[in-house]
Amino acid sequence: MLAARLGAWLRHTGERWGKASFPEKLAVLLAAAAVIYTVVTGAAELRYQARAREALAQVKAARLAARAVSAQYYAGGRTYADQTSPDGFAEGVAEEIETLGSLPGTVTLLQINADGYTVEKLLYCENGMYAIYDAAEGYRVFRAEDRLQYGAEAGYAAS
């Protein structure tokens, strides 16, 4: 019955939408809502997937740039890594890597080989997307979102 009414409405013949019963109208509205929900969530997932692929490409560029900068520092006898710094690199190294790799995000050294110049683990961060290079395991990309946040001034914290 609903299909006949919709077909007639689309062809501008027969009964109009106003004559449709409440269950028929409800079925059409629910179907339209399901289609809209599917399109919106699909578009969001495609957007996240595109951002993840971009972060993967950027961490690969960061790894190559880090290798080139480390070769320069090794040849010059300069210190490449400094685990006491916030980014894990010696002063100015992270900026050189970001410039050389044309990286819009930030690079952080997580682990370096015993020789002090070979990167074992590298983190790239851009707009909530994180990409990790691990020499042993390869690449990993993930998205970070805050779920709960407690300020330090609060006298209590979640246990």
Side-chain angles (χ1 to χ4, degrees), residues 72-150:
Q72 290 174 350
Y73 275 66
Y74 179 75
R78 296 184 291 173
T79 304
Y80 178 71
D82 179 10
Q83 293 298 317
T84 61
S85 70
D87 59 12
F89 291 105
E91 186 177 336
V93 174
E95 291 80 12
E96 284 186 49
I97 292 171
E98 291 166 4
T99 301
L100 183 61
S102 298
L103 305 172
T106 59
V107 177
T108 305
L109 179 64
L110 299 178
Q111 184 178 355
I112 194 135
N113 198 343
D115 66 7
Y117 292 96
T118 305
V119 174
E120 294 290 322
K121 291 184 182 179
L122 184 72
L123 172 70
Y124 175 76
C125 175
E126 179 186 1
N127 296 329
M129 293 299 284
Y130 293 88
I132 294 178
Y133 162 71
D134 187 343
E137 298 178 15
Y139 297 94
R140 184 173 144 219
V141 179
F142 57 96
R143 180 173 53 124
E145 292 181 338
D146 287 338
R147 295 291 181 186
L148 297 174
Q149 184 175 358
Y150 292 95

Side-chain angles (χ1 to χ4, degrees), residues 3-21:
R5 286 186 194 272
L6 287 175
W9 180 71
L10 290 173
R11 291 187 305 271
H12 300 293
T13 61
E15 297 180 17
R16 293 287 178 192
W17 177 253
K19 293 184 180 181
S21 67

Side-chain angles (χ1 to χ4, degrees), residues 20-44:
S21 67
F22 177 74
E24 290 174 335
K25 290 179 182 178
L26 184 61
V28 169
L29 291 176
L30 287 175
V35 167
I36 290 171
Y37 175 78
T38 302
V39 168
V40 168
T41 56

